[in-house]
Amino acid sequence: MHSPQPTRTRFHSKLRPDHDFLYAPLTRSFVFHDFLSPISPPVRTTPTVTIPPSPNENSKKSKRHAPIIMAIEKYTIIVSGERFVFTRDQLESDPGNYFAEYFLIGFKDVPFGTRELEIEKEPLLFKLIQAHLRGYNILPLPDQWIPPYMTKEGALDNLMKEAQFYGLWNLQNRIEEYQSKAPKSSSRPGIRSYKLAQYKQSGWVYCDLSESGFKALLQRFISTPGLQPLAPSSLSYEDYTLVACWRDFQHEESASGFGLPRLCICALLESDP
């Protein structure tokens, strides 16, 4: 007798094809199916979700990574109404000077933390001091920073006095070094000198005059009526030209203490250009 063949059951199409075995209800046995192309079970992946940082976190990061900027300490020196601003490093660039001690160390009558000082000086010369403290070489002196009532040599001498007064020793040393290297010359081109000549019993006596003194005596000669101009042939001084000559009266002290008038001849001389 033939053994009965197991009945194959048609399975419902809704069954999943990835099942390894199916149950056959007719034969009450397990029926295994060999598929043509084995399909691996699908891999479940968890989707990646990017959560933007909260505003508080952004602010914390920006504060944490922000560069630290140090506040620059500034000090103001007012010179005849004009303001000059310095930093701490600039004040300390010439050690031991008056301004650094005034602001950074302090004096007995100066409140701590003072940031302003007022002085009465020449602002143009102080521009040179400011440039020196900023690290610049100011020699030779620029023409635009020389006061109009000073010559270049006079401005350099006055700058030296300021350096000594305020304890700017580096500036003082640089001026001395510059002056030692400058060519020595008795005659300075473009600068005139003046002399007053007076004729006495022993002959002509000469003395130096400033430009303002020369102009004052010349104005007196021009504005005084009755003065007779003279042209003495004996008056001669090398490299000088006669500008004016006149008779004048001077008072001499006698033994009795009274001033006696004495006739005198005066002359003004100006150096050749």
Side-chain angles (χ1 to χ4, degrees):
M1 293 181 64
H2 298 283
S3 59
Q5 296 293 330
T7 304
R8 293 183 178 269
T9 306
R10 185 181 297 275
F11 298 99
H12 201 276
S13 60
K14 291 184 178 181
L15 294 176
R16 293 176 56 184
D18 57 338
H19 287 173
D20 292 337
F21 61 89
L22 298 174
Y23 178 72
L26 296 179
T27 58
R28 300 179 181 274
S29 62
F30 291 98
V31 180
F32 292 89
H33 293 269
D34 186 17
F35 297 95
L36 295 176
S37 58
I39 300 176
S40 59
V43 180
R44 295 183 179 179
T45 59
T46 304
T48 304
V49 180
T50 303
I51 302 175
S54 63
N56 292 334
E57 292 180 357
N58 283 336
S59 60
K60 290 179 182 179
K61 286 185 178 180
S62 61
K63 290 180 181 179
R64 184 167 57 249
H65 297 288
I68 300 175
I69 302 176
M70 301 296 293
I72 300 177
E73 299 180 13
K74 293 184 179 181
Y75 306 88
T76 303
I77 301 176
I78 304 174
V79 183
S80 297
E82 187 170 346
R83 302 177 71 88
F84 296 84
V85 180
F86 297 86
T87 64
R88 183 187 184 99
D89 292 339
Q90 291 170 355
L91 292 176
E92 293 177 337
S93 63
D94 199 334
N97 67 79
Y98 171 81
F99 305 115
E101 293 187 359
Y102 181 88
F103 289 117
L104 306 179
I105 299 177
F107 298 109
K108 185 177 180 180
D109 54 344
V110 178
F112 179 77
T114 299
R115 296 295 181 92
E116 194 169 281
L117 170 65
E118 187 170 357
I119 58 177
E120 290 297 326
K121 288 288 184 178
E122 172 53 55
L124 288 177
L125 288 181
F126 204 81
K127 283 183 181 292
L128 299 170
I129 294 177
Q130 184 185 45
H132 162 72
L133 291 176
R134 287 178 173 178
Y136 298 113
N137 183 16
I138 60 173
L139 300 173
L141 298 182
D143 294 336
Q144 63 270 25
W145 283 1
I146 296 177
Y149 55 89
M150 296 184 191
T151 63
K152 184 170 287 189
E153 290 77 8
L156 187 60
D157 292 339
N158 290 327
L159 184 62
M160 169 66 88
K161 294 177 182 178
E162 299 282 35
Q164 294 172 345
F165 181 77
Y166 290 117
L168 298 164
W169 309 121
N170 290 343
L171 178 59
Q172 180 180 344
N173 293 335
R174 290 180 182 178
I175 294 175
E176 290 176 349
E177 182 180 359
Y178 175 79
Q179 289 177 333
S180 64
K181 293 180 179 179
K184 304 296 182 180
S185 176
S186 57
S187 62
R188 296 178 292 181
I191 300 177
R192 303 214 175 204
S193 56
Y194 309 92
K195 290 186 179 296
L196 171 66
Q198 292 179 310
Y199 186 78
K200 296 183 178 181
Q201 293 180 355
S202 58
W204 289 100
V205 178
Y206 302 92
C207 62
D208 294 329
L209 279 178
S210 64
E211 184 177 1
S212 59
F214 172 82
K215 290 180 179 180
L217 288 175
L218 183 61
Q219 183 64 29
R220 176 190 170 192
F221 168 75
I222 296 172
S223 59
T224 302
L227 288 181
Q228 183 180 0
L230 303 175
S233 58
S234 60
L235 178 60
S236 177
Y237 200 93
E238 186 178 0
D239 298 330
Y240 278 78
T241 302
L242 176 65
V243 177
C245 183
W246 67 95
R247 288 187 179 91
D248 199 0
F249 286 96
Q250 291 184 344
H251 294 274
E252 288 185 344
E253 292 291 337
S254 63
S256 60
F258 295 98
L260 300 178
R262 181 177 63 85
L263 182 63
C264 178
I265 299 177
C266 298
L268 293 176
L269 305 175
E270 183 181 29
S271 65
D272 298 331

